[in-house]
């Protein structure tokens, strides 16, 4: 196979503008793909084409005449989240193609090669992850809305004239034979006929007539777009001509009956209606899985911007599938200022978002999304209310400066800073059975955050030199007096001034530092009435100081509910809480208040897993997709991200304040 990793040794050409523009193709080739239409490529160059389509046939002819290397591409068996999303998996062949049973496809050679024990173990793990995440080639369809029969056989239709049908030595008559065989061989089961998504609205693309199917006893046609994995999972058996669904069914452990000759048939794994082509021998399921999902394709990670292994591709697609389907297809959103609406749509990807006008009511029984802890609309117990808030690794710069977030949290029962009632985060921390793998992942994430010196807003600041003193050095963290976390989580102390006074009373001999909130310093939010007066109680007032460097230099951090207390825990500092932030009450902080709901003792990395992995949503602006926290860290530190308001943001900030939703 021609190399796809040595761009300096060749130029990649393609008789297709689509291939030239595809970022995944360019990334996997390791160089820019140039279009070639009429000129003849020189020997030593590589020509790309798409399967058996026009560009593939033309590329094959160019390569044969010129002596150039040929690579034929096709969508991978794990292609992407949705059909319109960037390709992640791409199959790469050197002359044949996997769906052409007569060709000399590289996939066939890879299957014949077999697997060693390590590869077989990896293949079994891949299949298990595939099942756990409910994956398929495309992954944006929702589960079926109808109740599945108790006992059914799944029959797969395909698009008429699809090249995989003729390439698999089959034709239209084989679909009729498949249906009759399913009825005959399973006389007491329902026959569930799954129409292809591309043929749902076009009868000319189907092999089955819906009305004719409805007239057949025990036959039920699936005429709505729905994800295939739940249908495979409960099926007694799967019948197909050449569809990839048969390969997926094998990974689910389902019996598969083939009426054509797809790449996985003729190998002793399926019940075949036709003889296998000459030279196609038996193979283990592990060999087929490893060849089809590890060796044959290449994967491009859209968030990382680099080639990745299938496990990372599955994790990315599985994460996006889960988050896109966490809410109903239609949600209503209320009280969002204009500048927030574009990124709110992103963080609610997978659902259509209807922004309600001021005074407009949500429909009965709707899902209503609001910011922060706005109250449920009065008298609307029928609504499924959810609340959005900034995540704990938010951005480079302040939200008040109109800096888009890279993370938000979406909660249903409450919100993390409201200690008056359980939130989704609190319930998770109180009840989740943490695994060693989750603790290890959280530990690695925490160590990266500390090493990269990241925080919520990642504001740069001046250095600070710790004074030469034997006194303990305490950091008191100021907050915005009107902050909802104080209202809902600090019933005794309500202002930064009150916090300073209490800390000084309890620690009269300490060297106390006071850091006011950056929104107050930037005059984006109002200071508390006694903040300036109480600041005289501090030995030093630090305004423009790097918060991470400050945490690292002090002995203790004292907060009401500030997130800096959590950031201090990440860095091994002693933290005293005078309110009830989400990280208090789990045995990791010294608490001045108690919460009966939080009696469980957590390890630090269990708290980290809940707060930074399980609870937030991360959205990559670069890839326009949900991302894992590990992948978003690099985006937080990429060059060009500014922590300060640009000129246009300064102009728009007062405008958006004027149109800020009321209430």
């Amino acid at each position: 196979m021609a190399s796809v990793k040595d761009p300096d040794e060749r130029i990649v050409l393609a008789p297709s503008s689509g291939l030239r523009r595809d970022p995944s193709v360019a990334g996997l080739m390791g160089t820019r793909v140039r279009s070639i239409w009429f000129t003849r490529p020189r020997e030593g160059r590589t020509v790309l084409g798409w399967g058996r389509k026009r560009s593939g046939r033309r590329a094959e002819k160019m390569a044969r005449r010129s002596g150039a290397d040929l690579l034929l591409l096709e969508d991978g068996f794990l292609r992407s989240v949705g059909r319109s999303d960037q390709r992640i998996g791409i199959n790469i062949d050197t002359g044949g193609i996997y769906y052409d049973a007569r060709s000399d496809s590289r996939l066939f050679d890879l299957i014949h090669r077999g697997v060693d024990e390590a590869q077989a173990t990896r293949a079994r793990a891949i299949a298990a992850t595939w099942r756990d995440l409910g994956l398929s080639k495309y992954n944006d369809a929702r589960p079926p809305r109808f109740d599945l029969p108790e006992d059914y056989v799944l029959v797969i239709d395909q698009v008429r004239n699809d090249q995989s049908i003729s390439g698999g030595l089959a034709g239209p008559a084989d679909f009729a034979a498949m249906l009759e065989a399913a009825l005959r061989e399973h006389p007491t089961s329902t026959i569930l006929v799954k129409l292809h998504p591309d043929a749902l609205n076009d009868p000319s693309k189907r092999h089955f007539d819906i009305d004719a199917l409805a007239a057949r006893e025990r036959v039920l046609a699936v005429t709505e777009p729905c994800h295939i994995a739940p249908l495979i999972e409960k099926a007694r058996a799967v019948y197909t001509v050449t569809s990839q669904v048969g390969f997926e069914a094998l990974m689910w452990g389902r019996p598969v009956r083939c009426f054509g000759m797809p790449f996985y048939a003729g190998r002793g794994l399926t019940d075949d209606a036709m003889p296998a082509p000459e030279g196609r021998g038996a193979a283990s399921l592990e060999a087929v899985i490893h060849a089809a999902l590890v060796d044959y394709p290449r994967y491009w990670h859209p968030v990382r911007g680099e080639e990745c292994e299938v496990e990372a591709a599955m994790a990315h697609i599985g994460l996006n599938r889960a988050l896109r389907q966490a809410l109903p297809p239609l949600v209503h959103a209320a009280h969002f200022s204009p500048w927030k609406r574009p990124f709110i749509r992103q963080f609610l990807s997978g659902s259509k978002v209807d922004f309600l006008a001021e005074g407009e009511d949500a429909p009965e029984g709707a899902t209503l999304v609001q910011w922060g802890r706005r109250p449920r609309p009065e008298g609307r117990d029928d609504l499924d209310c959810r609340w959005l808030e900034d995540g704990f690794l938010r951005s480079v710069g302040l939200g008040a400066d109109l800096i888009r977030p890279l993370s938000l949290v979406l909660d249903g029962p409450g919100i993390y800073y409201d200690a008056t009632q359980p939130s989704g985060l609190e319930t998770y921390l109180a009840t989740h059975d943490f695994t060693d793998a989750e603790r290890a992942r959280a530990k690695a994430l925490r160590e990266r955050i500390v090493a990269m010196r990241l925080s919520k807003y990642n504001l740069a600041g001046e250095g600070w030199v710790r004074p030469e003193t034997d006194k303990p050095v305490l950091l008191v963290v100021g907050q915005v007096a009107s902050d909802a976390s104080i209202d809902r989580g600090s019933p005794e102390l309500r202002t930064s001034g009150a916090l300073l006074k209490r800390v000084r009373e309890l620690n009269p001999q300490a060297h106390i530092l006071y850091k006011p909130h950056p929104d107050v310093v930037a005059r984006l939010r109002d200071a508390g009435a006694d903040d300036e007066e109480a600041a005289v109680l501090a030995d030093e007032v630090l305004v423009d100081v790097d918060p991470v460097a400050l945490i690292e230099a002090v002995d203790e951090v004292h907060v009401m509910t500030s997130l800096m207390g959590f950031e201090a825990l990440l860095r091994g500092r002693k933290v005293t809480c005078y309110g009830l932030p989400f990280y208090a009450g789990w045995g990791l902080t010294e608490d001045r208040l108690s919460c009966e709901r939080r009696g469980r003792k957590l390890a630090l990395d269990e708290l980290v897993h809940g707060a930074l992995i399980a609870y937030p949503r991360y959205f990559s602006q670069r890839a326009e997709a949900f991302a894992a926290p590990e992948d978003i860290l690099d985006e937080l530190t990429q060059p060009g991200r500014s922590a300060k308001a640009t000129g246009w943001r300064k102009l728009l900030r007062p405008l958006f304040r004027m149109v800020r939703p009321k209430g």
Side-chain angles (χ1 to χ4, degrees):
M1 175 184 174
S3 170
V4 296
K5 296 184 179 179
D6 50 359
D8 294 336
E9 297 181 8
R10 69 173 199 289
I11 295 175
V12 177
L13 307 169
S16 165
S17 58
L19 286 173
R20 178 178 59 82
R21 294 193 299 265
D22 192 308
S24 299
V25 172
L28 291 172
M29 292 301 105
T31 186
R32 184 169 64 90
V33 178
R34 304 179 186 179
S35 295
I36 180 171
W37 298 100
F38 305 107
T39 59
R40 182 174 177 175
R42 296 199 301 271
E43 187 175 352
R45 301 288 169 87
T46 298
V47 182
L48 302 180
W50 197 261
R52 291 288 187 239
K53 293 186 178 180
R54 181 181 178 186
S55 70
R57 296 193 302 271
R58 188 171 183 187
E60 190 171 8
K61 185 181 296 185
M62 286 180 172
R64 186 171 59 250
R65 289 178 175 176
S66 66
D69 292 330
L70 172 67
L71 292 180
L72 292 180
L73 311 185
E74 263 289 350
D75 285 331
F77 304 122
L78 178 68
R79 194 259 191 202
S80 56
V81 183
R83 291 170 178 266
S84 61
D85 290 307
Q86 180 179 343
R87 284 186 184 90
I88 292 174
I90 298 178
N91 290 332
I92 300 180
D93 220 312
T94 51
I97 201 69
Y98 72 89
Y99 53 74
D100 186 348
R102 299 184 184 91
S103 76
D104 186 21
S105 173
R106 189 172 69 93
L107 177 59
F108 303 158
D109 292 335
L110 292 169
I111 293 174
H112 293 156
R113 184 185 302 170
V115 289
D116 58 27
E117 186 53 41
Q119 291 170 326
T121 300
R122 184 181 182 189
R124 288 190 290 270
I126 288 169
T129 301
W130 186 285
R131 295 191 300 270
D132 291 343
L133 297 177
L135 297 177
S136 185
K137 182 176 184 177
Y138 302 103
N139 295 277
D140 58 340
R142 291 177 177 264
R145 292 175 295 178
F146 59 91
D147 293 331
L148 292 171
E150 288 291 328
D151 176 14
Y152 67 90
V153 170
L154 183 61
V155 172
I156 304 298
D157 191 17
Q158 294 172 246
V159 174
R160 274 186 176 272
N161 301 319
D162 187 88
Q163 291 181 323
S164 73
I165 299 173
S166 58
L169 312 179
D174 293 294
F175 286 84
M178 173 175 62
L179 177 61
E180 296 305 322
L183 284 163
R184 182 177 63 254
E185 293 164 4
H186 298 274
T188 62
S189 300
T190 299
I191 307 302
L192 201 63
V193 179
K194 175 69 166 64
L195 302 180
H196 194 280
D198 292 344
L200 290 176
N201 299 315
D202 188 350
S204 67
K205 293 184 177 181
R206 306 173 193 149
H207 289 95
F208 298 108
D209 179 82
I210 292 179
D211 293 334
L213 291 176
R216 300 291 298 267
E217 186 179 357
R218 296 191 293 115
V219 176
L220 178 64
V222 180
T223 58
E224 66 175 51
C226 62
H227 197 49
I228 193 67
L231 303 184
I232 297 174
E233 181 181 10
K234 300 290 178 62
R236 175 181 290 274
V238 174
Y239 280 55
T240 183
V241 176
T242 62
S243 170
Q244 178 184 316
V245 173
F247 171 54
E248 297 176 20
L250 289 175
M251 289 196 286
W252 279 95
R254 297 294 171 263
V256 177
R257 185 99 151 86
C258 288
F259 288 76
M261 194 51 55
F263 70 90
Y264 53 87
R267 305 186 184 281
L269 302 172
T270 55
D271 183 2
D272 301 323
M274 64 173 62
E278 185 178 353
R280 184 174 292 202
S284 68
L285 178 57
E286 290 84 357
V288 174
I289 293 172
H290 199 279
L293 294 178
V294 178
D295 294 325
Y296 188 53
R298 296 288 184 270
Y299 300 95
W300 185 255
H301 200 293
V303 179
R304 299 176 188 172
E306 63 185 20
E307 188 172 357
C308 67
E309 296 295 331
V310 61
E311 291 86 353
M314 289 194 296
H316 173 78
I317 291 175
L319 172 69
N320 275 266
R321 173 170 172 76
L323 292 178
R324 287 189 186 191
Q325 301 196 10
L327 292 171
L330 174 64
V331 300
H332 301 271
H335 311 297
F336 286 98
S337 56
W339 89 271
K340 287 183 178 179
R341 293 185 180 186
F343 71 75
I344 295 301
R345 291 188 192 278
Q346 292 178 328
F347 277 92
L348 300 180
S349 293
S351 300
K352 180 182 178 182
V353 184
D354 174 30
F355 287 100
L356 302 175
E358 287 300 314
E360 183 181 1
D361 293 330
E364 184 176 356
T367 295
L368 178 65
V369 178
Q370 300 182 99
W371 188 262
R373 197 63 181 103
R374 283 182 173 272
R376 175 189 294 272
E378 188 174 353
R380 296 301 307 274
D381 292 340
D382 61 296
L383 296 177
D384 173 21
C385 287
R386 311 291 181 96
W387 287 271
L388 280 170
E389 253 294 354
D390 286 333
F392 308 131
L393 291 168
R394 184 198 184 275
S395 56
V396 181
L398 302 172
D401 264 338
L402 310 186
I403 305 293
R404 280 193 173 199
L406 292 177
S407 72
L408 296 178
V409 301
L410 177 68
D411 210 319
I415 198 70
Y416 70 88
Y417 57 74
D418 184 356
T420 65
Q421 61 178 331
S423 67
L425 176 57
E426 182 183 284
T427 300
Y428 181 88
L429 293 173
T431 62
H432 183 70
D433 186 13
F434 292 95
T435 65
D436 290 340
E438 288 171 338
R439 296 184 191 95
R441 182 185 176 189
K443 180 177 184 290
L445 177 64
R446 172 173 57 83
E447 289 175 346
R448 279 194 66 198
I449 290 170
V450 172
M452 297 172 74
R453 306 178 66 79
L454 294 175
S455 62
K456 180 176 182 178
Y457 295 116
N458 300 289
L459 298 170
E462 299 175 355
W464 176 77
V465 178
R466 180 183 170 112
E468 295 183 4
T469 177
D470 293 333
K471 297 178 180 180
V473 178
L474 280 52
L475 172 62
V476 176
V477 183
Q479 292 180 245
V480 177
S482 59
D483 193 279
S485 72
I486 295 177
D487 181 55
R488 301 300 181 99
S490 187
E492 293 186 0
L493 302 184
R494 312 287 292 185
T495 66
S496 299
L499 173 63
L500 260 172
K501 292 176 183 177
R502 180 66 58 85
V503 175
R504 175 56 79 189
E505 290 171 359
L506 296 174
N507 303 274
Q509 302 303 317
H511 186 89
I512 295 179
L513 313 174
Y514 172 57
K515 187 179 188 312
H517 193 278
D519 281 355
V520 174
V521 174
R523 299 185 183 278
L524 302 175
R525 305 281 290 275
D526 294 331
D530 59 351
D531 283 9
E532 293 185 6
E533 176 185 350
V536 300
L537 297 171
D539 295 288
E540 295 182 61
V541 177
L542 305 175
V543 176
D544 191 21
V545 175
D546 178 1
V548 173
L550 194 54
I551 290 172
E552 291 172 340
V554 302
D555 299 306
E556 300 177 16
V557 176
H558 292 247
V559 301
M560 287 180 288
T561 60
S562 171
L563 185 64
M564 279 190 72
F566 176 62
E567 294 170 351
L569 286 178
L570 299 184
R571 292 161 175 85
R573 293 295 173 267
K574 178 182 177 181
V575 177
T576 300
C577 297
Y578 297 79
L580 285 169
F582 71 87
Y583 52 86
W586 309 106
L588 298 168
T589 55
E590 183 175 318
D591 302 322
R592 301 297 179 179
L593 300 176
S594 62
C595 177
E596 293 181 356
R597 301 187 306 271
R598 303 182 190 178
R600 185 184 188 187
K601 301 298 182 183
L602 294 177
L604 175 58
D605 290 322
E606 292 172 339
L607 174 66
V608 170
H609 189 278
L612 296 182
I613 297 175
Y615 188 51
R617 293 177 166 219
Y618 299 90
F619 194 89
S620 167
Q621 299 293 337
R622 177 173 60 195
E624 296 187 347
F626 291 112
E630 294 87 348
D631 295 330
I632 215 69
L633 298 187
D634 293 326
E635 202 158 329
L636 279 169
T637 57
Q638 70 184 30
R641 284 199 172 272
S642 173
K644 296 183 179 180
T646 58
W648 70 266
R649 287 193 178 101
K650 291 179 180 178
L651 290 173
L652 290 177
R653 190 166 62 204
L655 173 62
F656 284 139
R657 280 183 169 181
M658 290 172 61
V659 296
R660 182 178 292 170
K662 299 177 181 178

